[in-house]
Structure formats: C-alpha cells, structure tokens
Amino acid sequence: MIRTEELLLNVGPQHPSTHGVFRIIVKLDGEIITEATPVMGYLHRGTEKLAENLNYTQIIPYTDRMDYVSAMTNNYVLVHAVEKMMGLEVPERAEFLRLIVMELQRVASHLVWWGTYLLDIGALSPFLYAFNDRERILQLFNELCGARLTYNYMRVGGVKWDAPEGWIDKVKDFVRSMYGRLEEYDDLVSGNEIFLSRIKGIGAYDAETAIAYGLSGANLRSTGVKWDLRKNEPYSLYDRFEFDVPVGQNGDCYDRYLVRMAEIRQSLRILEQALEQFPEGGETMGKVPRVIRPPAGEIYVRIESPRGEIGCYIVSKGKAEPYRLKFRRPSFVNLQILPKLLVGESMTNLVTILGGIDIVLGEVDC
Amino acid sequence: MKGTGMLKGLGVTLKTMGSKKVTLKYPDVPIEMPDRFRGIQYFEPDKCIVCNQCARICPTECITLTGKPNPDPEKKGKVIDTFDINFEICILCDLCTEVCPTEAIVMTNNFELAAYSRDDLFKDRDWLYGNNTNVRQDNNNIGAPQRGGAK
Amino acid sequence: MSEEEKPKSPAEANGPEGAAEASERSAESAVEALSTEAAPASGPAAAPEAAPEAPVRRKETDEEKAARRKAALEAREAAKAAAAQAAAKPAPAAGGDAPAADAPPPPPPSPNQPRLDRAVQLLRERVAEDAVLEASINEPNGHLPTIVVKPERWYACAQLFRTHPELGINYLRNVAGVDHETHMEVVYHLLSMDSGHVYAVKVRTDRERPSVPSVTPIWPTANWNEREIYDLLGIDFPGHPDLRRIMMPDDWVGHPLRKDYAPLDPEV
C-alpha cells in the first residue's frame, strides 16, 4: 500500500532564487503546492523608526538602502514629499537631472530583473549580458554622484551634483547603443522555445484580482489595466515627454516579461527626449531654508518606481524630523498575491512566479 | 519552424564570443574610479575648526571628536584633539564633507577597508591624516555655510 | 493632522515676505496655511518696506514662523469648531467683510470641496448620522479630501466606499498607522481607478486597547498592511483572517514603532 502524505518544504531564507532573504513555507502534495506561507522580516532594519530621530537630509541615505536596485526613485519619493509639503520649487535643470537619473535607474533595474529572472529559470548567459549593460549605467552614475548603488544624490530642493563635463554625451551614446542591445536580447531569449514553454500561462490572474490586491507596476499592467503614475498622476516633468504605456492581456508571467521589456524601450525613448531638451545652464539647488522644517501637516506622494507605486506618507509636527514616516513599498504589496498564485501550481513554477513579481527584499522589509 | 528561436539565440552567443572582453582583472589590476567617487575619508587636522557639523549630520553617528583650546594664546578658537570614525557603521554617504565649512574632511577614491578584526575598523585621526592618496578633487560642499543641517 | 481650508493672506498682510516675488513665496504660502485670521506681528505697517537681502529675510522667516504658528494654533481651534459644524457647507467664496488690515479674506473654496461634501453626505445618509467626525481638504497634498470616521462605523463606511457607484473605490493605496501620543490613528488612502479620484480616511482609536475593524474582506490589499501595523504598533484588527507578526520575529515582545517603546533587551 502506498501512503502519501503532505510534505512541508522550507524554501529557506538562504536561497539563490528568492531575491533576498525571504522564506516560503510550502506544503506539497507530491509536486503540487497546496499552501504557501511567506515569512519575511529578515531584512527589517527599522527605517521608519530610525527616521523619527533624523532630519530629512539624513534620511536620504537610508532611503537608498530600501530598494537598493532602484535607489534613485526612493530618493525622489522622499524629497518630493518634503518639497510638496513645504511648497518649494525645484529649478529646471535639477528636475531634468532627476528625471534622467530616474529613467536610467529604471532601465538598470529592469536589466537586473531580466538577468536574474532568466538565471532563475536556468539561462545562465543573459545574466552577464544584462549586468554588462547595467555596469555601463552604474559607471555613469559613478561619474555623476560618486557611488554605484547607494547614491544619496537628491536633496530637498534639487540635486547635489551637477552633471560633469561630457556626461550628457555619454548618456546619449549609451541610449543609442542600448536600442541595439535590446534587439540582441530579444533575439537571444524572447523567441526561445524552452523559455516560452516555461513562461507562458504561468501565474495568471485577471484585472479584478490585480486591482483588489493593490498590485501596481508591470504586475497590474500585464492584465490590461492601463495605469501608470507617470501618465495618470504626473509628477516631475513627465507630462512634457511622449511615451507609451505598454499593456499586456493575460496577466501571466509572459505578459509581465513583455511589458517590462517594452518599458525599457519606453524609458529609452523618454531619455532621448529629455537629453535633447536638457537646459544649458541653471541651478542645481533651489532656494531652501537653512533648516528644513516642513509645516505641521501630512502628505502622501506616490511615484512610479520600476516595481510599482512607491509612496511616502509623512506626518510632520513642524520640526526638523518627521513625526511619522511611512513608505508604501510596492514589493511588499505586490507580494501579497504570491500565496494565492502558488496554490495548485507545480513546485517547479514557484521560482518562475516569484521572479515574475519582481521583488527586492530591502523594500519588502524596509 | 520549431527551433528557430533557439538558433537565433545561438547566433547572438556566437557573435558575442568573438567580441572584445569587458571584464576587468581586479584585484590584480587596480580599478580607476572617477574623481567624484566616495571612498574613505581623508582628514586634515590643521583645517578643522571643531564646529561639530560633521558629527551632527552623520546619519549613523559614527564620527566622534573632541577639541582643545588653541595652544597658541594669541589665536581664538579650538583645535582638534581626537577625531575618530567608526568604519563599522560609516556608510560613506558624503554628508560630512558636504557640511564641512573648511573642507577639512574630504573623501578619497580608496575603498578597500577589509580587516581581520573589528577593532581595526575604528580609525583615528592619524590614520585618516595618513590616508592621503587619491584624494577627491571635486568637493561640492553645498551643505556648508548656507545649510548647516542642524538637528 | 489634516489642514482646514486656510485663508490665503493677501500680499500686503505678509509683510516683507510678500513684497518680493521670488520662490520664497511657495515656502511662505505653506507656512501661511497655518495661520487663519491672525495677521503677522509686523502687519501692513511693514508692507512699504523694501525687500531686504536674502539672508536677512530668511532670519525673519524663522521668527515670523514661530509667532505665526502660535497664533495659528489658537485660530485653528476656533476654525476647527466652526468647520466641524459646517462640514457640509462650502466656505464662503468671497466676502472679506473685514478690512485687509485686520483679517485676510477667506480662501476660495477648494476644487474638491463639492466632492468632499458629496462623500460626507453619502456617508451620513447611508451609514449613520454620526459616522463622520471631521471632513477637510488637505491643500498641500493636492487638495486631498480627508475624512475622519468613527471606528465603530468604519466597516460600513468602507463597504459604501467600495460599492457605491459614485465613489467606486476599488484600489486601496496605502494603510498607515500613526501613534499620536494621545491616541492612535490608522490612515487609509483610497483611489478609484475609473475616475482617478482619491480620498483619505482616518480612523482614530484610543491608545489603551486600540482596535479598528479590518477591511481585508473588502480590499485584500489591506491584509499584510494591517499585519504590519499590528506588528509594529499594536493596533488590533478584528475581522482580519490571520493577524500575526510579520516583520518582527514571532516571539517578540512589544510593538517597536510606538513612541514609548523600550526594548526588552537593549543589546538586540
């Protein structure tokens, strides 16, 4: 007599494919998952609690470390929130620099996602291709602000560094060459039969579910909902540029893949336009009071980070430190759908689905 | 025809096989960092006026310093006595150089700080004074005199 | 703390700050938002002064700010009492009957005021007369309608937000818990994807045994958000399917984000 029983498998915190220290407790019946419980908090560093004792300029390095793959957007959300609360104006050159840097960051972040996603699925070489291109972006950032990952670049009222000599031309060269590289990536991966059979139809959900679960970013757009904060609730200078919002249909991993690849193309398009319209001269810092003390009140701003909608909620009591600073992290909210998607799936698809959601643990835990 | 996708991919791989290598031979060959790179700090005690701005702005509170009254009875002001940076928690964020009014503390382009024991990471004033290779030239200290970053 | 509709003081009453037209204005206007009727100490007498240089002006700003804030506090109490009664009525558009020197004219009504009133009216009709405690517009935040709701009525209000065709909130953006020292508060930011309208709803609860009905059955987004708030602040959410700690280890004692949190073991 064969007796079957349920197996409790621990996709443990140390795992090469969980994109960080993340644990999933999976109940298996053979190879089919019957229940999945995510456990997180291994990277919880208490940013929100620490922020209650720091003034806003000191919090900016901490925001870098939340979503470390896409640090510029984190910087921006905090700085934008404080500027909105205080009603500060940012000079145009600074705003252009911010936008260029954020779009470059979006390309870099999607490249990391692409490389690691394919690595999880089993294709080893696209990882290095992606990181080669990302290295060029990081070199550009290194020349601009002195760091490759945790930039600490934006300040309340502007940016810290101006673009050095020749930097804009280097970015233009990069954008031009990146178009060709994207073609290569498509040739390399997007037509591959093994890849398609592993990705198509996996982890599908519909638009209703996506909206109910509060998904954002490519996860939401892959179901057909055309919602991009750069277009629907424009911030910074995005309303000056022309770009499309790629939308999928089925809400499965393949559509998420296509949406993100198309987003890289659209980011390159925005970059081209922004570099053309880049102002000749201008300040990099606006008129900012000596001590940054927003008036009492509260504010919630949100921007489109590569992972989705990142929001910053600040309650201020008129002091130099925030009374309560909360970040609405896209990876945290997007990850809620994981237990639902995994039920009934084969164990082999766990990593595919998890990678398709595109999480960064620094953001999930904050 | 089935299989064309894989053949196309193979074409890309073969093409890349013949192109130039992009890897660097670090650590055999040292890396050239751009000038603005934020590495370990370099400290000049003569320029320091003990204003304490760097210790106050540091987000992780890794700078501790003490001053003593100027030994020269003519001049006023303090002179730096001890200046320690705890590199276990320094995040090389560059805020201390941003607010220093005299550019007494600047970043260098060195970043290799690995040590065999944690105590070696607590660098004092003399070590920081001796760390004077690859000092950064472009120090945009926008935080000095207009913005003090007071707590 | 949500902002009431604040009068935009005319340039004259601002004193030296109003004289120039630099971007200081935007900084000032945010501070202006605090003061209601109170004219700054210098008042119109300082208006004819020529614009001083930048550093001097900034120093005055700090002092002005302090004085203004104190006056704003008193004015805000008065305005809050008045606004709470007249929450459904929009503020008078014009009508600075007082001379400019004494009181600045009331502000123009916010463009979202009609939407706020309609929402409050719906809540009052469909849920309960006493459901809404306060309603205001948060101007710096893009004129966000902010409603304070009683915790007992919150679940019914949330259902109304979800199902009513005029409100149609299908996307819960953000759930945040705040520990004010006297009470605790949970703030919900709601979005209707079809119309693009946003609302902010706050639910206040006391500090001893804080409890807010969970809205997870209505918007599944709230699931982990509420778990995080429970973990870090200790607010209980009856009705939540699985309320346990999410960030801290399961056997942690205490709620770290509270203002009076003292770790059991300081070394950890």
mmCIF file of all heavy atoms in Angstrom, chain A residues 326-339:
data_model
loop_
_atom_site.group_PDB
_atom_site.id
_atom_site.type_symbol
_atom_site.label_atom_id
_atom_site.label_comp_id
_atom_site.label_asym_id
_atom_site.label_seq_id
_atom_site.Cartn_x
_atom_site.Cartn_y
_atom_site.Cartn_z
ATOM 1 N N LYS A 326 6.201 56.941 6.706
ATOM 2 C CA LYS A 326 5.862 55.583 6.272
ATOM 3 C C LYS A 326 6.065 55.507 4.772
ATOM 4 O O LYS A 326 5.662 56.387 4.030
ATOM 5 C CB LYS A 326 4.415 55.245 6.594
ATOM 6 C CG LYS A 326 3.977 54.031 5.813
ATOM 7 C CD LYS A 326 2.874 53.274 6.470
ATOM 8 C CE LYS A 326 2.369 52.213 5.534
ATOM 9 N NZ LYS A 326 3.178 51.032 5.477
ATOM 10 N N PHE A 327 6.647 54.402 4.339
ATOM 11 C CA PHE A 327 6.826 54.178 2.923
ATOM 12 C C PHE A 327 5.865 53.087 2.483
ATOM 13 O O PHE A 327 5.814 52.024 3.089
ATOM 14 C CB PHE A 327 8.254 53.719 2.627
ATOM 15 C CG PHE A 327 9.265 54.812 2.770
ATOM 16 C CD1 PHE A 327 10.063 54.893 3.878
ATOM 17 C CD2 PHE A 327 9.405 55.778 1.785
ATOM 18 C CE1 PHE A 327 10.989 55.899 4.011
ATOM 19 C CE2 PHE A 327 10.331 56.790 1.905
ATOM 20 C CZ PHE A 327 11.120 56.851 3.029
ATOM 21 N N ARG A 328 5.137 53.370 1.449
ATOM 22 C CA ARG A 328 4.286 52.343 0.847
ATOM 23 C C ARG A 328 5.157 51.659 -0.188
ATOM 24 O O ARG A 328 5.472 52.252 -1.222
ATOM 25 C CB ARG A 328 3.080 53.002 0.173
ATOM 26 C CG ARG A 328 2.072 52.024 -0.353
ATOM 27 C CD ARG A 328 2.161 51.937 -1.855
ATOM 28 N NE ARG A 328 0.985 51.285 -2.412
ATOM 29 C CZ ARG A 328 1.038 50.315 -3.301
ATOM 30 N NH1 ARG A 328 2.183 49.876 -3.723
ATOM 31 N NH2 ARG A 328 -0.065 49.788 -3.773
ATOM 32 N N ARG A 329 5.603 50.456 0.119
ATOM 33 C CA ARG A 329 6.591 49.824 -0.738
ATOM 34 C C ARG A 329 5.895 48.919 -1.731
ATOM 35 O O ARG A 329 5.089 48.072 -1.335
ATOM 36 C CB ARG A 329 7.557 48.984 0.091
ATOM 37 C CG ARG A 329 8.462 49.783 0.961
ATOM 38 C CD ARG A 329 8.070 49.854 2.389
ATOM 39 N NE ARG A 329 7.938 48.561 3.006
ATOM 40 C CZ ARG A 329 7.278 48.364 4.136
ATOM 41 N NH1 ARG A 329 6.675 49.369 4.720
ATOM 42 N NH2 ARG A 329 7.203 47.188 4.666
ATOM 43 N N PRO A 330 6.210 49.032 -3.013
ATOM 44 C CA PRO A 330 5.484 48.212 -3.989
ATOM 45 C C PRO A 330 5.747 46.724 -3.827
ATOM 46 O O PRO A 330 4.835 45.914 -3.974
ATOM 47 C CB PRO A 330 5.980 48.725 -5.334
ATOM 48 C CG PRO A 330 7.205 49.495 -5.044
ATOM 49 C CD PRO A 330 7.099 49.983 -3.667
ATOM 50 N N SER A 331 6.980 46.356 -3.507
ATOM 51 C CA SER A 331 7.256 44.917 -3.409
ATOM 52 C C SER A 331 6.454 44.287 -2.280
ATOM 53 O O SER A 331 5.988 43.165 -2.399
ATOM 54 C CB SER A 331 8.738 44.671 -3.149
ATOM 55 O OG SER A 331 9.508 45.208 -4.169
ATOM 56 N N PHE A 332 6.277 45.020 -1.207
ATOM 57 C CA PHE A 332 5.534 44.491 -0.069
ATOM 58 C C PHE A 332 4.091 44.212 -0.464
ATOM 59 O O PHE A 332 3.539 43.146 -0.169
ATOM 60 C CB PHE A 332 5.585 45.523 1.055
ATOM 61 C CG PHE A 332 4.915 45.104 2.318
ATOM 62 C CD1 PHE A 332 5.392 44.049 3.050
ATOM 63 C CD2 PHE A 332 3.808 45.776 2.787
ATOM 64 C CE1 PHE A 332 4.783 43.659 4.226
ATOM 65 C CE2 PHE A 332 3.196 45.404 3.967
ATOM 66 C CZ PHE A 332 3.683 44.354 4.683
ATOM 67 N N VAL A 333 3.484 45.159 -1.164
ATOM 68 C CA VAL A 333 2.082 44.983 -1.524
ATOM 69 C C VAL A 333 1.945 43.960 -2.649
ATOM 70 O O VAL A 333 1.032 43.144 -2.643
ATOM 71 C CB VAL A 333 1.473 46.335 -1.930
ATOM 72 C CG1 VAL A 333 0.030 46.183 -2.268
ATOM 73 C CG2 VAL A 333 1.621 47.318 -0.805
ATOM 74 N N ASN A 334 2.862 43.976 -3.611
ATOM 75 C CA ASN A 334 2.762 43.039 -4.722
ATOM 76 C C ASN A 334 2.931 41.612 -4.260
ATOM 77 O O ASN A 334 2.420 40.683 -4.871
ATOM 78 C CB ASN A 334 3.841 43.326 -5.766
ATOM 79 C CG ASN A 334 3.570 44.586 -6.538
ATOM 80 O OD1 ASN A 334 2.509 45.177 -6.409
ATOM 81 N ND2 ASN A 334 4.533 44.995 -7.324
ATOM 82 N N LEU A 335 3.660 41.418 -3.183
ATOM 83 C CA LEU A 335 3.966 40.060 -2.765
ATOM 84 C C LEU A 335 2.761 39.373 -2.147
ATOM 85 O O LEU A 335 2.740 38.168 -1.991
ATOM 86 C CB LEU A 335 5.109 40.100 -1.760
ATOM 87 C CG LEU A 335 5.938 38.847 -1.571
ATOM 88 C CD1 LEU A 335 6.393 38.321 -2.881
ATOM 89 C CD2 LEU A 335 7.110 39.181 -0.695
ATOM 90 N N GLN A 336 1.721 40.123 -1.840
ATOM 91 C CA GLN A 336 0.573 39.510 -1.189
ATOM 92 C C GLN A 336 -0.108 38.505 -2.065
ATOM 93 O O GLN A 336 -0.805 37.621 -1.570
ATOM 94 C CB GLN A 336 -0.456 40.578 -0.828
ATOM 95 C CG GLN A 336 -0.024 41.406 0.311
ATOM 96 C CD GLN A 336 -1.111 42.330 0.733
ATOM 97 O OE1 GLN A 336 -1.989 41.976 1.474
ATOM 98 N NE2 GLN A 336 -1.048 43.537 0.237
ATOM 99 N N ILE A 337 0.056 38.651 -3.383
ATOM 100 C CA ILE A 337 -0.679 37.763 -4.268
ATOM 101 C C ILE A 337 0.040 36.426 -4.394
ATOM 102 O O ILE A 337 -0.509 35.486 -4.958
ATOM 103 C CB ILE A 337 -0.859 38.452 -5.643
ATOM 104 C CG1 ILE A 337 -2.067 37.871 -6.329
ATOM 105 C CG2 ILE A 337 0.370 38.329 -6.482
ATOM 106 C CD1 ILE A 337 -2.436 38.597 -7.556
ATOM 107 N N LEU A 338 1.240 36.318 -3.884
ATOM 108 C CA LEU A 338 2.022 35.099 -4.080
ATOM 109 C C LEU A 338 1.339 33.856 -3.516
ATOM 110 O O LEU A 338 1.227 32.854 -4.224
ATOM 111 C CB LEU A 338 3.417 35.273 -3.468
ATOM 112 C CG LEU A 338 4.364 34.112 -3.704
ATOM 113 C CD1 LEU A 338 4.792 34.066 -5.130
ATOM 114 C CD2 LEU A 338 5.573 34.217 -2.793
ATOM 115 N N PRO A 339 0.837 33.857 -2.272
ATOM 116 C CA PRO A 339 0.203 32.625 -1.792
ATOM 117 C C PRO A 339 -0.970 32.196 -2.667
ATOM 118 O O PRO A 339 -1.183 31.010 -2.895
ATOM 119 C CB PRO A 339 -0.273 32.996 -0.387
ATOM 120 C CG PRO A 339 0.535 34.147 0.009
ATOM 121 C CD PRO A 339 0.870 34.877 -1.236
#
